[in-house]
Amino acid sequence: MAQPFRLSRGGRIDRSRPIVFEFNGKPIHGYQGDTVASALIANGIHHVGRSFKYHRPRGILSHGPDEPSALLSVDRGPGRVDPNNRASVVEARSGLRTHSQNHWPSLEYDIGAVNDLLSPVFVAGFYYKTFMWPRKFWDKVYEPFIRAAAGLGKAPTQADPDRYANRHAHCDVLIVGAGPAGLAAALAAAKTGKRVILADEGPEPGGSLLHDPNAEIDGRPAASWLEETLADLDGRENVILLSRTTAFGYYNHNHVALAERVTDHLPTASGQAPRERLWQVRAGEVVLAGGAHERPLVFADNDRPGILLAESVRVFLNRYGVAPGRTLVFATSGASAYTAALEAKQAGLAVTIVDLRLEADCGPEVARLRQAGCEVLTGHTVVGSKGRKRVTGLIVAPVGSDGRCGGRRVLPCDAVGMSGGWTPAVHLFSQSRGKLRYDDRLDAFVPNISAQSERSAGASKGTYDLADCLAEGFAAGAAAAGSDERRTFSATPTLTGFQPVRVMPTDDDPKKVRAFIDFQNDVTAKDIKLAVREGFQSIEHVKRYTTTGMATDQGKTSNMNALGIVAGQLDKPLPAVGTTTFRPPYTPVTFGALVGPARHALFDPIRTTPIHGWAQSHGATFENVALWRRAWYFPKPGEDLHAAVARECKAVREHVGIFDASTLGKIEVVGPDAAEFMNRMYVNPWAKLANGRCRYGLMLKEDGYILDDGVVARVSDTCFHVTTTTGGAARVLAHMEDYLQTEWPDLQVFLTSTTEQWAVIALQGPKARQVIEPLVEGIDLSPQAFPHMAMRTGTICGVPTRLFRVSFTGELGFEINVPTDHALAVWEAIFAAGQPHGITPYGTETMHVLRAEKGYIIVGQETDGTVTPDDVGLAGMIAKTKTDFVGKRSLARPDVIATTGRKQLIGLITEDPKTVLDEGAQIVADPNQPIPMRMLGHVTSSYWSPNCNRSIALALVADGRSLMGRTLHITTPDGFTRATVSEPVFFDTTGERVNA
Amino acid sequence: MRRFSLTSLLSESMRGHTGWGRQWRAPEPKPRYDVVIVGGGGHGLATAYYLATVHGITNVAVLEKGWIGGGNTGRNTTIIRSNYLYDESAGLYEHALKLWEGLSQELNYNVMFSQRGVLMLAHNIHDVQSFKRHVYANRLNGIDNEWLSKEECKEFCPPLDIGGGLRYPVLGGALQRRAGTARHDAVAWGYARGADARGVDIIQNCEVTGIRRDASGKAVGVETSRGFIGAGRIGVVAAGHTSTVMSMAGVSMPLESYPLQALVSEPVKPVFPCVVMSNAVHAYISQSDKGELVIGAGTDQYTSYSQQGGLHITTHTLDAICELFPQFTRMRMLRSWGGIVDVTPDRSPIIGKTPVQNLFVNCGWGTGGFKATPGSGHVFAHTLATGEPHTINAPFTLDRFRTGRLIDEAAAAAVAH
Amino acid sequence: MLLIACPHCGNRPETEFRCGGQAHIARPEAPSAQSDEAWAEYLFVRKNPRGVHAERWCHVHGCGRWFNALRDTVSDRFIEIYPMGAQPISELQSEARA
Amino acid sequence: MLEVRYRTARALPLGRAEARPSGVAIRPADAEARFVLRVRSAEGEVAGLPLDRPINTVSGDDRRWIARLGPDEWLIGAPESEADLVANSVASDLGTRAHSLVDVSHRNVGIDVEGLRAAELLNAGCPLDLGETAFPAGRATRTLLGKAEIVLIRRAGPGARYRVECWRSFATYVHGFLKEAAFGIGEG
């Protein structure tokens, strides 16, 4: 199909494989190997977007990742739509649908372009000076308007069907950038046998060699050298060569993050392979060879579609075989654009060159171009451009060394290549915290002092000549691999050198000139100057005030120009203004790549017990507790939470209930000093606990507040079976290990987590003993032989068990510990054996209600990290004779021993027994006091108690124990309700049932 | 001070904005000030502003070692709310929130305080209990905060996934409608401009290298990279660098400085109407006026002054964001950065006296200092002006770590059972 | 993500470790004999240096052992790894002034 | 009657099926006996397995093995039928030396990962250097896989044969992670 600007030959595209994609609904024809940008240009399309603020028509500026303007929404199918893609890096393929952004109703006719007329008002920071009156208008009028105008493309609206992968990798040498320097580095490093990873952001390694058809290396065409080099690297097992892979983040200790784009370029995605892969590389040494970015020239209306970077013109010509126009003007302040100009001329295009440098300051390139038949205007500035949606001419004028402009002349053209010099890509170096140095000769910041094991080579270090790049890259690669091998290369000399210019000289009224620095954020030279005038003199302030360099390209093309203008305004040397610190990522990275497989079921492990499947098949509803999923309640058909829990609660107290307590943390504490260790870790005394007996243990942090609790059984003189709360298991083990290893290494104690070795089946209720009696062997279950708070070993259903006679319900109860893989069988056996006794499975909600009826605390519910044992009425647990345990000293701090004001655990009996208080409700003495009210405390637990046939609640209330019988007022969603302070125990207050 | 208004803006636009002067001066330091404030972040600048406006003390210098607002002020995710649990914290943050509500007008500088609401999501029963405790406490303290069902959460924040398929399904949320965000840089600039106009010297690139004490031990001035500067009183407001500055006066602090990371996405058209916080999965997200999704990540586990954290902290946060908002996986991270946050043992700030006479400190704001900026400056100005704390900052003493009277919001909110 | 040289396992990524904060804060022999000031100091006051910091790390997802390390909090570079109970050999001088 | 109720085979959380995507076999291991042994000095041997090998190595064979995970910590694996035998011989071999031997047979779940690209697959979630030099056959260590803690053992002998051990309740996650990783290493 017609591609009017496709050259008849050349380029690395595959002309045998035509492709077609859509741009704003129209088919665009191109070839395999095109980017979206090159295919659009092949079809004569430059105008591809509207700018952020002024909605000015914008085109394609660049060929690479530094593109600020040509941002498109790309649609790869349902759920695969995303905004702000740089046309210059999206590989064109059939089936893509691309759209321009930030305009209404269309790219061609955009209402927002009215902003361009208002540009005298919309200068940098204007919004800080207005939109303040009337005050209410900010939220309702101004801000919604600003927000609607801002933003670029539209965010995706559907869940993403693509897969993302992660890969940790290690290597001796990581090389970033597979241009000449990077390739030479890889050659040198690979020879040593060290593990090398070479990553390049492009689809094809080669860097500048891919668009340098006339270059020769070591006497042969650069293209053949490239091919041989790649073949050499490919053949080595110690080399991983990654294309389409951007090193975007350089973190501590040589941890470098790369984003590999795996499938976006493929016409048919398998649906299985990941879209992107995050490489987290830990490298011994890093070689940074990421090249350099070209600077645009800053002149009035330098943002017209059709105005490109000069090197990008060269790339489009040579790599993609497309001409950005037929009549080209190159505007430059340096030599490199002459190479582009010459190649354009050789491609048959009309070429004129405008060079700011005086003839005397130029090199032989001028003569060469004139010889080729091009007009070269040295000592000329650019003062403007013609056209609107496409450049039609460049306005130039001679300028003397005094900066005064002579008579203007319009050079008609349909494309412009501009070059304001080069900026080494020091982003990763800066991210690695290396220190930059300003190089006057290069007018650029270059790497100076490394902070990590890294070195730069080639253009990213300010070395532009091809032979020098190769030699420098080789040396860097060798050194990184621990070799001192060096070699020289012979190569075609590269035209380098430029005259730094911030804003092109002009004789126009500076107040009216709109010369763009940051193309995407619509920041002009004038804006930068205004910021400086208003006192924003640090470059960071200027960036933040004007937003220059803050767009999606992060200022790759604009930073040096902005910095130079600030320095000029302040009349300071450029390094005195400073450079901005570069932060990851180098180019934007999808959240998906960063998240990788950690989605859906792999977002966070879901821990389940061996009874989980049984609970599911018996209709349980589940709740999340830490990483665990626990059975919350077991509704029968037609039951809601309350009905199910009421039934379960009654069943436990009247018959027997079965509960999965497997998630409780368990720690085997073993060793000759185990009892002494327990003495130091818990408030309780342990030395005299007999083997086979249990004790409720309370553990504090060193600050005196409750950390955890749980029943502990003494298995033998040297072994304790410790249980912890479900959420506290890991914390408690870590807490114990810390003290054991770092404070008391002399204690001979070993800790092993057995949380998942033992599943725990809690069987609670008056008939519990009858249910397990026929299943248990080797244990005398009689109350005399096996009293409350005892532990015995034996078997149940033939499975070894540690059988605890303990109760968190206040009923006769057992907690049957069995090896986890046998737990389901034992559970099912018990459930079957319990049928005649009315056995009822219950969940965590019933567990909570039953323990609240008895006033047992739950750490994390009655306590919140600011609660002492005495606060919850557990001071009696504290061993009186121990001189020390963790947290003891803090219990003597002035505010902890204060005789008044501590919040204490009490019960609340609502005036209306049907009223169930809200957990978290606040408590006051006088509901009619003015706001802010004095709050006495809050409700920690509150339930309907089926066994008390009324509501019950636990609360922490200031001086609560002295308020017994007093009426307090508790918040409800609509106001207050009344309740009486009671002891925090509501059922079986004498506690006889557990001893049944 | 040239007043900002639509009129002045329009008239300037007629002449190319050449008439705007400096928003604050760049004075040479004087030999002595009544008050020297160490640290030119939002808190320090606000302190200077209120010293001048409320207390009439204008012989004040703010010393900043880099550029003003360059620390945590310009690096945070700008969430502003006051729905704290304890009376002490609620009083402090609500004081700040009330000042936020008139701040643009007060400063004649649009700080873009946007009361779009902060929604805190509950993902488990413990969260529900904890959030209701906050809602009730706030009500009795006169602070707006309401409990929303999960359906109401979805209505308030349409991108939210409230389906049961989430790893930690949304059970509901606590919404403070008066809460929101502001433009962080503008806060520093607005206070600087306001303070400067009243005579306060804002001195950038001036690093404090020592605190001079006389024979009696009281502080009399600061050594700086630009020479000695005498001071009647010194207020240290140096955030992550507080330990370093205080050690110059021989004072050890209960502080540790951690890297805290944040990131933004590429800008997109409005898609996220409010602020959502999920402590359970560690996700904090809003959308800036410019269109970027602003996402707060966590702190690293070790102390560091590098303003750089590990990638795993970022990925952990994005895991959570994409779990709650699965449509955002194709969005791209544009920029990430780190701040240095100073954290106290109870995660509440210290605002008040120190063992050294004439030396005062305002620090320990941890990950949440931005929201307090106006209130913090206001009460610290009172403390510096009178030598005694304001009733609002009276509980936030350095001494509370001795007595055990801690103000532990985090402990009250974050313990799982 | 830091790379930490566990004394038992060699270089391992930070995610396998838990940082235990400032090192060499010995728990007093007799806490009950401590004054409120001294106890508060033990519990809460930290050096928080800008420069070389002695801190504790535990290779919790590895060998499970605690050890000490010197790290520069400006560069995040590790200077020395040494056992619990030992003192560092290196001087506590910051290598970086940034 | 009791015997009838008692299911002799252990009910393993991942079942016993086999998955083989991407040329890497991911196979839940059979029920095994495992013990955590803690003892301060690494002298001698227990149950025929050496204690004095370097930290982060595994000794023995596929049937009965001992992995030294730390200076005073070993994980011992054996066929289920030898559980009592191993426990008794460890106790008698250590005699009066203070030690802790804890049965964790049911705590741990094993998954075997084998094939040419096994290391690459594991590196989807394991941050260690699994290269031939850093992690040769005979290596064993506790580490991470995604958000779960695992013990990773590289079996002795040629080829890339790994054993991933995790706690029981993490097995579904770990297994799922490995299966997902098998897709992740597939080239487009």
Side-chain angles (χ1 to χ4, degrees), chain A residues 85 120 143 589 864 918 940, chain B residues 17 114 129 136 289 332-333 411:
Chain A
N85 292 276
E143 190 183 41
V589 183
D864 63 3
D918 252 359
T940 60
Chain B
H17 298 272
S114 168
Q129 185 203 10
Y136 282 124
D289 285 343
R332 297 185 198 91
M333 173 168 85

Side-chain angles (χ1 to χ4, degrees), chain A residues 534-585:
Chain A
E534 290 194 85
F536 297 90
Q537 306 196 333
S538 153
I539 186 64
E540 285 291 348
H541 275 161
V542 173
K543 279 183 69 169
R544 285 156 182 265
Y545 192 64
T546 63
T547 76
T548 190
M550 308 283 274
T552 62
D553 60 314
Q554 291 286 287
K556 290 186 180 64
T557 54
S558 61
N559 278 343
M560 277 306 289
N561 283 335
L563 200 56
I565 293 172
V566 174
Q569 286 295 106
L570 293 174
D571 200 21
K572 281 187 186 171
L574 201 136
V577 178
T579 180
T580 58
T581 315
F582 295 94
R583 298 288 183 190

Side-chain angles (χ1 to χ4, degrees), chain A residues 270-311:
Chain A
S270 69
Q272 300 283 312
R275 178 185 181 219
E276 296 178 1
R277 180 181 292 120
L278 176 69
W279 287 72
Q280 300 194 50
V281 179
R282 187 75 72 168
E285 297 276 341
V286 176
V287 176
L288 297 174
H293 297 123
E294 197 167 16
R295 298 178 201 166
L297 289 172
V298 181
F299 57 87
D301 302 321
N302 58 343
D303 61 330
R304 298 228 191 276
I307 303 181
L308 294 80
L309 294 169
E311 189 76 359

Side-chain angles (χ1 to χ4, degrees), chain A residues 617-639:
Chain A
S617 63
H618 285 74
T621 300
F622 294 88
E623 70 160 329
N624 287 306
V625 182
L627 289 178
W628 291 96
R629 202 151 273 179
R630 302 191 70 182
W632 189 15
Y633 58 99
F634 288 83
K636 293 200 160 165
E639 281 185 339

Side-chain angles (χ1 to χ4, degrees), chain A residues 430-450:
Chain A
S430 174
Q431 286 180 26
S432 80
R433 302 196 220 162
K435 295 260 181 301
L436 296 166
R437 165 182 70 83
Y438 179 71
D439 186 313
D440 229 358
R441 186 182 52 93
L442 296 169
D443 185 47
F445 287 95
V446 292
N448 187 23
I449 301 166
S450 289

Side-chain angles (χ1 to χ4, degrees), chain A residues 312-344:
Chain A
S312 298
V313 171
R314 204 178 160 216
V315 172
F316 287 118
L317 288 170
N318 298 329
R319 182 158 169 195
Y320 301 107
V322 296
R326 305 208 193 283
T327 309
L328 270 59
V329 177
F330 285 88
T332 184
S333 69
S336 65
Y338 285 76
T339 310
L342 184 62
E343 286 163 5

Side-chain angles (χ1 to χ4, degrees), chain A residues 69-140:
Chain A
S69 296
L71 302 181
L72 303 177
S73 163
V74 175
D75 179 347
R76 294 183 164 87
R80 296 186 165 98
V81 188
D82 45 84
N84 304 345
N85 292 276
R86 289 154 293 164
S88 52
V89 298
V90 176
E91 291 176 59
R93 63 165 172 82
S94 287
L96 281 188
R97 288 189 293 178
T98 66
H99 298 273
S100 53
Q101 305 181 147
N102 202 36
H103 46 63
W104 188 86
S106 75
L107 177 63
E108 295 302 317
Y109 305 99
D110 179 12
I111 299 289
V114 70
N115 285 3
D116 204 25
L117 302 175
L118 295 172
S119 66
V121 183
F122 294 169
V123 293
F126 77 97
Y127 28 74
Y128 299 124
K129 295 173 177 150
T130 184
F131 297 138
M132 287 180 270
W133 311 270
R135 202 176 103 183
K136 294 276 177 219
F137 269 40
W138 174 252
D139 287 326
K140 301 278 178 273

Side-chain angles (χ1 to χ4, degrees), chain A residues 239-270:
Chain A
V239 178
I240 296 177
L241 181 54
L242 298 170
S243 51
R244 299 185 176 87
T245 304
T246 306
F248 68 82
Y250 199 136
Y251 297 88
N252 263 319
H253 301 177
N254 269 8
H255 186 231
V256 184
L258 324 174
E260 180 187 7
R261 290 166 295 280
V262 184
T263 54
D264 265 359
H265 65 287
L266 298 173
T268 48
S270 69

